[in-house]
């Protein structure tokens, strides 16, 4: 365990040593997943007890009591749509796997040119996609480790870029009042570089010399961009855990390679494992942050050993429209 912690600390120091605001690709990977986690301000790395752990901290998948499938939808900024789906399945009492799909759809828009200002009859589109396969294992009854391998793709019109990345997470449950500590490193992987047929352009390599080939095919060379590497460390504690009531508070410290460090904080009040009220604040101390106050509710209904849960969250996004997220989960 000491060696694992040293690796995490060394990696976090590398992230902190960089100052590259706004210089990464695939930034949709940094958008929070799940109505429950989002309503708690995104403070979820140490809680990580549902299928969205595949995004927040894959080690939490091993500690879950049930298998679970979840579908999440959000109307994101500027009329875009954000969707996430995940399935967690136990291999045995101490290990589990999960598969997840994350997509940001920018929609379609008609192409206009100087010659056809009213449209050419063609549409252009753009979308981002990440597909993840996670594995988690309980090393002891209090310590879990997990990882996610991801394929990432961004596409706009005829151009696209792809990459592979890994997430690694740790989760430690102490003996003190349900106090938990979580750590996660996200998006450690290859760089992304756009490629496609629109980069092929005719060129005259010697325009001053008549008689040469004026339509030699060339290819524009695009730059490579890093992924949004993120180190997160957080804690969660059950302040109240007696009878029908549970009250949990959580806080995460986030250290990205494309912005300054900041904090997410939130809380959840639960009654009889059926009704949940949540609130939080995200991006505390983050430069130029628009997101802030968050809130949400959740309802869970048991049908024998199976449960159905619906969650809703609200996020104040400053100059932009308020964001709403919806989640539907089934545990079995």
């Amino acid at each position: 365990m000491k060696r694992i912690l040293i690796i995490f600390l060394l990696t976090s120091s590398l992230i902190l040593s960089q100052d590259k605001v706004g210089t990464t690709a695939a930034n949709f990977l940094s958008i929070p997943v799940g109505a429950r986690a989002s309503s708690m301000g995104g403070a979820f790395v140490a809680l990580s007890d549902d299928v969205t752990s595949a995004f927040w901290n894959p080690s939490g998948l091993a500690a879950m009591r049930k298998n679970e499938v979840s579908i999440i939808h959000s109307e994101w900024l500027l009329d875009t749509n954000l969707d996430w789906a995940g399935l967690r399945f136990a291999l045995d009492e101490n290990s589990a796997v999960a598969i997840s799909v994350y997509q940001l759809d920018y929609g379609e828009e008609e192409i206009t040119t100087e010659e056809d200002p009213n449209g050419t009859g063609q549409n252009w589109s753009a979308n981002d996609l990440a597909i993840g396969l996670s594995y988690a294992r309980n090393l002891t009854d209090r310590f879990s480790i997990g990882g996610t391998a991801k394929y990432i793709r961004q596409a706009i019109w005829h151009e696209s870029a792809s990459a592979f990345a890994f997430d690694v997470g740790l989760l430690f449950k102490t003996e003190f009042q349900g106090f938990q500590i979580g750590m996660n490193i996200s998006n450690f992987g290859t760089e992304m570089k756009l490629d496609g047929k629109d980069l092929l352009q005719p060129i005259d390599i010697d325009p001053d010399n008549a008689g040469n080939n004026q339509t030699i095919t060339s290819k524009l060379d695009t730059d490579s961009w890093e992924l949004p590497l993120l180190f997160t460390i957080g804690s969660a504690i059950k302040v109240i855990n007696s009878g029908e009531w549970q009250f949990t508070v959580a806080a995460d410290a986030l250290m990205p390679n494309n912005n300054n460090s900041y904090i997410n904080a939130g809380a959840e009040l639960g009654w009889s494992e059926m009704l949940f009220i949540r609130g939080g604040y995200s991006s505390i101390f983050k430069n130029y942050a628009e997101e802030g106050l968050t809130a949400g509710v959740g309802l869970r209904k048991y049908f024998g050993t199976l449960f159905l849960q619906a969650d809703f969250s609200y996020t104040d996004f400053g100059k932009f429209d308020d964001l709403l997220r919806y989640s539907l989960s089934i545990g079995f």
Side-chain angles (χ1 to χ4, degrees), residues 90-101:
L91 298 177
D92 52 44
E93 292 183 355
N94 291 309
S95 61
V97 294
I99 185 169
S100 58
V101 179

Side-chain angles (χ1 to χ4, degrees), residues 202-233:
I203 186 174
D204 185 355
I205 60 175
D206 191 4
D208 296 326
N209 187 6
N212 64 318
N213 190 341
Q214 299 179 355
T215 58
I216 295 176
T217 300
S218 64
K219 187 174 184 179
L220 300 177
D221 188 22
T222 59
D223 290 333
S224 296
W225 298 86
E226 296 179 348
L227 295 174
L229 186 64
L230 175 66
F231 174 74
T232 307
I233 182 169

Side-chain angles (χ1 to χ4, degrees), residues 21-331:
V21 176
T23 59
T24 55
N27 289 305
F28 76 102
L29 297 171
S30 301
I31 301 174
V33 161
R36 182 187 176 201
S38 299
S39 63
M40 296 180 64
F44 207 69
V45 73
L47 200 52
S48 295
D49 57 359
D50 61 29
V51 68
T52 63
S53 299
F55 173 86
W56 295 98
N57 184 352
S59 62
L61 295 167
M64 292 173 59
R65 294 179 296 175
K66 289 181 176 293
N67 295 320
E68 188 175 328
V69 59
S70 183
I71 299 174
I72 301 163
H73 173 74
S74 173
E75 295 180 357
W76 193 241
L77 304 178
L78 305 176
D79 298 323
T80 59
N81 290 294
L82 187 66
D83 296 287
W84 188 92
L87 169 65
R88 181 266 189 192
F89 194 82
L91 298 177
D92 52 44
E93 292 183 355
N94 291 309
S95 61
V97 294
I99 185 169
S100 58
V101 179
Y102 193 19
Q103 178 178 273
L104 177 58
D105 186 359
Y106 298 89
E108 291 187 350
E109 187 174 63
E110 190 171 12
I111 298 173
T112 59
T113 64
E114 292 183 2
E115 293 78 16
D116 298 293
N118 294 321
T120 64
Q122 291 182 302
N123 293 331
W124 71 274
S125 63
N127 63 81
D128 300 334
L129 176 70
I131 300 174
L133 179 63
S134 306
Y135 173 79
R137 185 168 185 83
N138 295 322
L139 300 183
T140 70
D141 60 340
R142 297 187 177 279
F143 182 63
S144 305
I145 187 170
T148 299
K150 295 186 288 191
Y151 167 74
I152 303 158
R153 184 176 186 271
Q154 291 191 288
I156 178 170
W157 191 218
H158 297 129
E159 276 60 59
S160 64
S162 59
F164 293 93
F166 294 92
D167 301 348
V168 180
L170 305 175
L171 185 63
F172 179 64
K173 299 180 179 181
T174 72
E175 298 180 355
F176 176 71
Q177 202 168 338
F179 181 64
Q180 299 183 178
I181 300 172
M183 289 180 282
N184 190 61
I185 297 174
S186 302
N187 310 320
F188 184 79
T190 60
E191 295 183 342
M192 301 190 76
K193 183 176 182 178
L194 281 171
D195 194 10
K197 67 179 184 180
D198 288 333
L199 299 179
L200 299 174
Q201 299 290 328
I203 186 174
D204 185 355
I205 60 175
D206 191 4
D208 296 326
N209 187 6
N212 64 318
N213 190 341
Q214 299 179 355
T215 58
I216 295 176
T217 300
S218 64
K219 187 174 184 179
L220 300 177
D221 188 22
T222 59
D223 290 333
S224 296
W225 298 86
E226 296 179 348
L227 295 174
L229 186 64
L230 175 66
F231 174 74
T232 307
I233 182 169
S235 61
I237 185 170
K238 291 185 177 180
V239 180
I240 299 174
N241 187 22
S242 61
E244 297 180 336
W245 295 95
Q246 299 86 36
F247 182 62
T248 305
V249 295
D252 289 356
L254 297 89
M255 291 151 274
N257 69 337
N258 60 359
N259 211 316
N260 65 294
S261 301
Y262 58 97
I263 294 173
N264 294 335
E268 177 184 66
L269 176 65
W271 177 73
S272 296
E273 294 190 15
M274 182 174 64
L275 175 64
F276 304 90
I277 300 174
R278 309 177 181 110
Y281 205 95
S282 64
S283 304
I284 304 170
F285 308 125
K286 183 179 181 180
N287 292 338
Y288 313 111
E290 293 294 335
E291 58 270 49
L293 181 67
T294 63
V297 296
L299 290 172
R300 179 185 295 174
K301 176 65 175 177
Y302 280 91
F303 302 90
T305 58
L306 181 145
F307 74 78
L308 179 65
Q309 182 167 332
D311 296 292
F312 165 82
S313 75
Y314 158 88
T315 301
D316 178 3
F317 221 87
K319 298 182 181 67
F320 299 94
D321 293 335
D322 298 335
L323 297 178
L324 304 179
R325 290 182 175 88
Y326 311 88
S327 298
L328 182 64
S329 304
I330 300 174

